[in-house]
Amino acid sequence: MREHDFGRRGSFGRGGPSPERLRGRRGRVFDSAELQLVVLDLITDQPRHGYELIREIEALSGGLYAPSPGMIYPTLSLLLEMGLVEEVSTDGARKSFAITEAGKAHLAENEKPLAAARSRLAALAEAKDRADPAPLRRAMGNLREVLIIASRKPGFDEKKILESARLIDELAGTIERL
């Protein structure tokens, strides 16, 4: 597929970035520093354990991205070592973490990168809500093939070419008014 072809190739055109483009080549939405900020942000209001953080990030992305436990738990361990979070006791068996004053200060110092990370999650959620254009690509492909085949038939003269173009233009206007 060429870059200008219709569809979800990953361009930032009318439909916005595709989920694939947002994730990048290796499937990562965030680098380590950004994930740390997102985690800190999510535990600002209430302590959470790793699984809750995974599910919350997944919900914020509209279900299109969920960090693996292999990303979340090392991030929590690092934040703990850095003094940005602290372990809090809970009724359950899972460790929950709360943000420290140092963690709050770190978030305040990194407002712009946090806003960019939040924006990326919101863009993923928005991308999920857009309708899949696959039926349109299929229909456009069908139209293209029919036009190529018809134009090669004997007797497909200028009158038929102009009538076909008129029908396509009429349909384009109808679709535009939808």
Side-chain angles (χ1 to χ4, degrees), residues 14-60:
R14 283 185 167 179
S18 70
E20 296 81 15
R21 173 81 178 228
L22 287 166
R23 278 193 290 269
R25 292 177 189 219
R26 292 181 18 203
R28 294 180 63 183
V29 172
F30 302 120
D31 66 22
S32 178
E34 292 169 323
L35 183 59
Q36 291 171 24
L37 293 172
V38 169
V39 166
L40 285 172
D41 187 45
L42 291 174
I43 63 172
T44 299
D45 296 331
Q46 70 181 44
R48 298 179 193 257
H49 56 76
Y51 182 74
E52 287 175 312
L53 291 166
I54 292 169
R55 292 299 147 236
E56 185 64 24
I57 292 169
E58 184 177 30
L60 291 171

Side-chain angles (χ1 to χ4, degrees), residues 139-140 142-148 150 156 160-177:
M140 288 173 53
N142 286 346
L143 177 61
R144 181 178 184 275
E145 290 301 314
V146 166
L147 290 171
I148 288 171
F156 197 79
K160 290 181 181 176
I161 290 173
L162 292 174
E163 179 61 14
S164 296
R166 186 194 65 73
L167 289 170
I168 293 169
D169 289 338
E170 183 180 317
L171 180 59
T174 301
I175 292 170
E176 188 174 43
R177 289 185 296 274

Side-chain angles (χ1 to χ4, degrees), residues 48-52 73 87-97:
R48 298 179 193 257
H49 56 76
Y51 182 74
E52 287 175 312
Y73 290 104
E87 201 173 315
V88 294
S89 60
T90 60
D91 297 334
R94 294 183 173 156
K95 293 180 185 178
S96 288
F97 298 88

